[in-house]
Amino acid sequence: DVDFMAGMIHHHAQALVMSRMAPSHGASPGLRLLAERIINAQNDEIALMQQWLRERGERVPDPVAAGGQAGHAAHADHGMSDDAMMPGMLSPEQMAALDAARGEEFDRLFLQFMIQHHQGAVTMVNELVAMEGAAREASVFKLASDIGADQSSEITRMQTMLRDLLFAVDEGP
């Protein structure tokens, strides 16, 4: 449970970095709204996970520092090597491509990458609940279940947004 909480803080931190790019990268209004919702939800979940860890005397990761690590070195503290990134985490190259994109290209990459990222979080939740003895505490099970449900719902929403973006009909002048 401790590894899940610490890992999910790192995972959410990267999503926050991605989402905070939307206003400065020319994201569409719909994507900006989605990014704001991701920021609000994941900030709230990070606070819950930090509180849970603090109450148990565990080390509490700093999401600001973790977000800058893009999923690599930040995980050495809980047994993950640079080569063993958490599911769905973007590589430094993917983060650089997202940061370099603007407008419609940013929207497309953001949606593709955030779908990948959210699918990774759902995988982390599924791995937790399948693990013997894990997620037995009600608060852990509820948080993990909420993360899984919320991220699955957002994946569906983002898939629709991406489909609409990719198959938009140019109406012309």
Side-chain angles (χ1 to χ4, degrees):
D1 291 354
V2 170
D3 286 344
F4 172 81
M5 293 292 198
M8 192 59 75
I9 289 171
H10 288 291
H11 203 273
H12 276 16
Q14 188 181 64
L16 293 176
V17 170
M18 295 168 64
S19 296
R20 288 180 180 134
M21 289 181 191
S24 62
H25 287 66
S28 66
L31 194 122
R32 283 185 191 202
L33 180 60
L34 172 67
E36 289 172 16
R37 288 179 178 167
I38 290 170
I39 290 168
N40 290 335
Q42 295 200 7
N43 271 331
D44 289 348
E45 290 169 356
I46 287 172
L48 285 171
M49 292 182 283
Q50 288 176 318
Q51 177 183 346
W52 187 91
L53 288 166
R54 226 176 267 112
E55 289 171 354
R56 284 149 187 83
E58 298 291 341
R59 194 189 68 69
V60 179
D62 175 8
V64 175
Q69 296 296 319
H72 286 285
H75 308 293
D77 60 337
H78 59 91
M80 296 187 79
S81 71
D82 287 353
D83 297 325
M85 287 175 43
M86 284 184 282
M89 294 293 284
L90 273 62
S91 69
E93 295 79 17
Q94 288 174 308
M95 289 295 289
L98 182 63
D99 193 24
R102 297 293 184 273
E104 190 173 298
E105 178 68 4
F106 177 84
D107 284 11
R108 183 184 63 77
L109 284 178
F110 180 91
L111 291 168
Q112 290 173 334
F113 291 162
M114 193 60 80
I115 289 168
Q116 167 192 319
H117 198 268
H118 276 26
Q119 287 170 334
V122 171
T123 296
M124 290 171 66
V125 167
N126 291 338
E127 289 172 352
L128 175 73
V129 297
M131 189 178 300
E132 183 71 31
R136 291 193 178 203
E137 188 177 316
S139 62
V140 175
F141 183 80
K142 180 182 180 341
L143 179 64
S145 297
D146 289 349
I147 289 171
D150 292 347
Q151 303 239 336
S152 293
S153 174
E154 286 179 356
I155 288 168
T156 301
R157 184 178 309 122
M158 289 186 292
Q159 287 171 331
T160 299
M161 291 173 73
L162 183 60
R163 184 191 67 237
D164 292 348
L165 180 66
L166 294 174
F167 298 106
V169 177
D170 184 7
E171 307 258 338

